[in-house]
Amino acid sequence: MSERKSYLQMMSEGFRMMKEGKQINHETKLRQWTFSISREANWNVILRTERLKWISPATDQFIIEPLFVQIGTLQLTRHLETNEVRLTIDEEWGIESKVVCDDQEWERFVASLKQLKGE
């Protein structure tokens, strides 16, 4: 009986370690926006600013392009001419905001997201 119990404990511990291994937690900033991104089965985003905290619903959509990032309903679009980055959250009440950042700052942000995603 004790052999079976120790085997089940070992298997339980192994599954717990595998689940923890799949969990990803990452925090990155772009100007005054702080993104806390985590993944278990799906991606989750917490956006924090001075006046706002938004928590995304779980999503499997995570798109990274040179001038565009989308995680579920959250979209970031960079405009080269003005160096503006527009943040749009497409929900019933919606959120729109923008910041100005230079090429290096945007590239570091995108690189950190690509590293998080494993690209």
Side-chain angles (χ1 to χ4, degrees), residues 1-11:
M1 184 72 167
S2 65
E3 287 179 21
R4 181 173 178 217
K5 188 175 181 181
S6 65
Y7 173 76
L8 291 174
Q9 286 176 335
M10 184 177 69
M11 291 297 291

Side-chain angles (χ1 to χ4, degrees), residues 24-28 37-39 43 62 64 71 110-119:
I24 298 172
N25 293 311
H26 180 77
E27 188 168 290
T28 189
I37 303 170
S38 62
R39 179 173 190 182
W43 295 101
F62 193 166
I64 304 171
I71 307 170
V110 169
S112 74
L113 293 179
K114 284 184 176 182
Q115 181 180 9
L116 167 68
K117 190 177 175 189
E119 288 186 1

Side-chain angles (χ1 to χ4, degrees), residues 13-60:
E13 181 70 16
F15 284 124
R16 186 187 63 76
M17 289 171 59
M18 285 174 47
K19 184 179 177 187
E20 286 178 5
K22 290 180 184 177
Q23 291 178 346
I24 298 172
N25 293 311
H26 180 77
E27 188 168 290
T28 189
K29 293 185 95 166
L30 184 63
R31 293 293 169 144
Q32 69 261 24
W33 300 330
T34 302
F35 299 90
S36 299
I37 303 170
S38 62
R39 179 173 190 182
E40 287 183 32
N42 289 312
W43 295 101
N44 292 301
V45 179
I46 299 174
L47 167 65
R48 290 183 185 89
T49 68
E50 290 177 5
R51 300 182 306 167
L52 172 74
K53 179 178 179 183
W54 174 79
I55 301 173
S56 74
T59 183
D60 61 348

Side-chain angles (χ1 to χ4, degrees), residues 79-94:
H79 300 278
L80 287 174
E81 306 82 36
T82 59
N83 284 338
E84 281 184 355
V85 176
R86 288 191 178 272
L87 171 114
T88 308
I89 297 175
D90 189 23
E91 290 186 342
E92 184 178 332
W93 44 274

